[in-house]
Amino acid sequence: MSELAELNERTPGSAELFRRAGRVMPGGVPSSFQLREPWPIYLVRGDGPRVWDVDGNEYLDFHNGFGSMVQGHAHPAIGAAVADRYAQGTHFGAPTEGAVVVAEELARRFGLPRWRFTNSGTESTMGAIRIARGLTGRNDVVRMAGSYHGHHDTAMVGSSAGIPASVVEQVHTVPFNDADALERIVERRAPACVIMEPAMTHGGFVPPEEGYLEAVREVTRRDGVVLIFDEVKTGLTIAAGGGVERFGVRPDVVTLAKALGGGLPSGAIGMTSEVARVVEDGSVPQLGTFNGNPLGMAAARANLIEVLTPDAYERLESLGERLRAGCDAVLADHGRAVALGSKGCLRFERPPDPELIWLRAMNRGIYMTRGRGYEWTLSVAHTEETVDRYVELVGELTPRSSDSVRA
Ligand code: PMP
């Protein structure tokens, strides 16, 4: 039986739910990232490193909510903090101590003194870019080829209909790891900001080359350009202080989301005092009804202080290294693996069809990010045994030229 037919046969409950969902949500999903034909796989439960779908199929989770669940599913410390906060009220539209504690911890981790909160990565990058424009009085934005920074207009240039032409003209793209190209565009356009991941998790998981981030820092500082590290994916996952800590280069602004909220929607913008000036003096209001929501802050506080401890980062690093080395060994001449903390990626000499990888993984009880089947995020709930299961799967995937998805 083909991999696709096998998955279809195992997921009749998802097919059934899809028939209902398709009547009330476009494509039967709440976000276009979750679209899938012939139907999405609907999940019901997660516990530690495992998730279950509506048909009761069990999977080891290497997708981890698009890299958000570094703490594993249903972590008891986060559950207790959320339950405790719920009993005392969840939302006031007024500041609470939880936000202060989380801001203090983020300031410590990232070496940036001022923090504001949001509810998603999109809001964080949208706010960061507006702050940069407000501070500099400039309009243009430079980003890296293949990057993704969320779904607001500036970030979606080139990827969606409905973006005004005036916005399209303001966005310029250069290749990652090419400091000369960046210098040229900065000199030509005098942009408000450069927004980039310090290690590209989009476009194939590419760490920065030696000296590259330092060169970016130098060029942006020289020309008064705000340097934004979008650490929505790398922050809190590749090290306690994300790429800032791992690579030792400090930007003017850091954007966070995903792994911050321990599974609740949450985001943050970190700034130097100089950048924060435009927020403090009110020239760029940074707004949001649910910013610093007490429930989200309680989850983030437990997540940062009790779960993602120095020991947890050591564990993620050693599991990541075990996974990387295991994959390297089974890939042999066919490719290699790259890992940074909880995140990693396979690189094949002749890449097999990513859909085939995803289907095979699903049929063997391994849940990967669909369309990005070569990438993983580990959680602290993973073990040597779960990591070795993934290595076994990669052994089976070693490309054979006859491979294709048989419908
Ligand atoms: N920036 C980066 C680097 C991201 O990976 C993402 C989400 N994949 C975002 C921003 C947007 O985050 P959100 O989906 O929470 O809006």
Side-chain angles (χ1 to χ4, degrees):
M1 195 191 311
S2 77
E3 299 286 354
L4 180 58
E6 190 179 332
L7 187 63
N8 288 350
E9 201 171 280
R10 294 153 57 96
T11 56
S14 282
E16 182 61 36
L17 196 49
F18 174 61
R19 277 190 281 280
R20 255 173 75 198
R23 287 199 282 271
V24 284
M25 290 186 283
V29 289
S31 156
S32 297
F33 275 132
Q34 300 167 13
L35 288 169
R36 176 181 176 260
E37 286 179 4
W39 52 78
I41 308 302
Y42 293 85
L43 298 192
V44 278
R45 192 161 81 83
D47 186 16
R50 293 183 170 74
V51 289
W52 288 265
D53 69 18
V54 291
D55 289 288
N57 297 305
E58 178 180 314
Y59 307 89
L60 284 176
D61 192 3
F62 290 80
H63 165 64
N64 274 309
F66 285 112
S68 304
M69 299 307 297
V70 197
Q71 53 289 318
H73 298 287
H75 195 291
I78 296 172
V82 167
D84 186 52
R85 181 66 252 180
Y86 188 83
Q88 300 179 68
T90 51
H91 185 68
F92 310 118
T96 58
E97 195 207 353
V100 182
V101 175
V102 176
E104 283 169 348
E105 174 63 8
L106 294 177
R108 189 187 69 75
R109 289 185 181 218
F110 290 85
L112 286 170
R114 301 277 191 279
W115 290 80
R116 276 289 181 88
F117 294 102
T118 71
N119 305 288
S120 67
T122 293
E123 288 177 50
S124 296
T125 63
M126 182 180 71
I129 290 170
R130 181 168 310 129
I131 288 167
R133 284 172 163 155
L135 182 77
T136 57
R138 305 172 182 174
N139 291 326
D140 285 14
V141 171
V142 174
R143 66 175 191 195
M144 302 295 141
S147 59
Y148 179 73
H149 298 294
H151 57 273
H152 54 89
D153 281 359
T154 301
M156 287 296 277
V157 166
S159 307
S160 175
I163 314 290
S166 56
V167 175
V168 175
E169 284 162 19
Q170 293 167 352
V171 177
H172 312 282
T173 302
V174 293
F176 187 71
N177 272 332
D178 185 342
D180 292 340
L182 183 79
E183 186 168 17
R184 284 195 297 273
I185 196 80
V186 163
E187 280 172 6
R188 198 150 53 81
R189 302 297 313 189
C193 62
V194 171
I195 182 164
M196 62 189 294
E197 295 187 281
M200 282 279 284
T201 67
H202 294 272
F205 202 72
V206 187
E209 281 167 13
E210 191 78 30
Y212 171 65
L213 293 177
E214 287 81 355
V216 169
R217 180 65 284 187
E218 162 74 24
V219 166
T220 48
R221 183 172 286 132
R222 194 171 64 212
D223 287 291
V225 179
V226 176
L227 177 58
I228 304 170
F229 278 180
D230 179 0
E231 298 231 43
V232 164
K233 281 184 121 174
T234 51
L236 316 170
T237 60
I238 66 169
V244 174
E245 175 186 328
R246 187 129 198 160
F247 308 119
V249 171
R250 216 189 61 180
D252 304 298
V253 177
V254 160
T255 52
L256 297 177
K258 292 196 193 281
L260 174 63
L264 269 70
S266 192
I269 307 172
M271 298 160 263
T272 60
S273 341
E274 200 211 341
V275 170
R277 195 169 40 81
V278 289
V279 180
E280 274 156 6
D281 70 15
S283 51
V284 182
Q286 191 270 330
L287 305 166
T289 298
F290 280 100
N291 289 8
N293 168 261
L295 199 63
M297 291 295 104
R301 178 182 185 162
N303 180 36
L304 296 179
I305 310 289
E306 295 175 53
V307 182
L308 296 179
T309 58
D311 282 355
Y313 285 102
E314 253 179 51
R315 178 178 169 75
L316 289 171
E317 194 69 31
S318 86
L319 286 173
E321 177 51 26
R322 183 181 179 95
L323 187 47
R324 188 205 61 73
C327 289
D328 255 6
V330 294
L331 284 171
D333 304 342
H334 296 293
R336 65 189 193 88
V338 189
L340 290 174
S342 71
K343 290 198 172 289
C345 179
L346 304 175
R347 295 245 174 80
F348 290 99
E349 288 292 324
R350 281 183 303 135
D353 182 339
E355 183 65 7
L356 175 66
I357 292 194
W358 185 82
L359 288 167
R360 275 209 184 142
M362 290 296 276
N363 286 330
R364 281 152 192 75
I366 297 205
Y367 196 88
M368 305 299 295
T369 308
R370 187 160 167 274
R372 305 172 66 94
Y374 307 167
E375 298 174 17
W376 66 76
T377 301
L378 295 175
S379 78
V380 297
H382 271 277
T383 61
E384 296 190 344
E385 189 201 340
T386 63
V387 157
D388 293 347
R389 284 270 304 282
Y390 182 76
V391 173
E392 258 171 54
L393 172 80
V394 173
E396 281 181 44
L397 291 174
T398 303
R400 294 182 291 271
S401 54
S402 59
D403 275 348
S404 66
V405 179
R406 286 160 294 147

